[in-house]
Amino acid sequence: MRTILAAVIGFVLWTVLWLGSNALLSVLTPTSFREDGSTDSTLLIAVILLLSLLFSLIAGAVAARVTRGSATAALWTLGVALLAVGIFVQLQYWALFPLWYNLLFLILLIPGVFAGARLAHAADT
């Protein structure tokens, strides 16, 4: 039960952080985004990518704490769920962003989740 709960909490947390940060970025830098959500700013794209990685770290750390022990199944469940939804969403925006962004966004999701869990574990010891 904790495995499912950890994965769900991590997924919801990542999603809330992602949507919130995108809304905040559009308010803070309104002229940086086009109506379709794209931008020409490489710096802004890099910031968005780093935020995705940060949110993966946070989600992984929280999921690991919720399980209070062996979090491997929860982390894989969380990571695969994030990747599946990420692929679906990225396919919709594929042509709007550079290839390096699309690939790195997807590639970093699962390792970010596991790295966040390791950081949480290291903080406990």
Side-chain angles (χ1 to χ4, degrees):
M1 186 65 170
R2 281 193 183 275
T3 297
I4 295 168
L5 183 64
V8 169
I9 289 172
F11 185 87
V12 169
L13 178 60
W14 191 100
T15 303
V16 167
L17 290 170
W18 180 255
L19 293 175
S21 70
N22 280 312
L24 184 62
L25 284 173
S26 67
V27 168
L28 294 175
T29 61
T31 59
S32 297
F33 294 99
R34 293 186 199 91
E35 275 190 38
D36 61 7
S38 64
T39 181
D40 289 328
S41 171
T42 303
L43 176 61
L44 188 55
I45 293 170
V47 166
I48 293 167
L49 184 62
L50 289 173
L51 286 172
S52 171
L53 179 58
L54 175 64
F55 301 155
S56 294
L57 291 167
I58 293 169
V62 169
R65 293 213 185 244
V66 169
T67 61
R68 293 189 197 160
S70 178
T72 304
L75 297 175
W76 275 112
T77 303
L78 171 59
V80 169
L82 288 173
L83 182 59
V85 172
I87 289 170
F88 175 75
V89 172
Q90 288 302 106
L91 286 175
Q92 296 176 37
Y93 292 94
W94 197 262
L96 301 179
F97 289 94
L99 181 62
W100 62 265
Y101 166 80
N102 293 311
L103 293 177
L104 283 173
F105 178 91
L106 296 172
I107 289 168
L108 292 173
L109 287 170
I110 293 175
V113 166
F114 277 88
R118 272 185 251 131
L119 290 172
H121 179 68
D124 289 341
T125 56

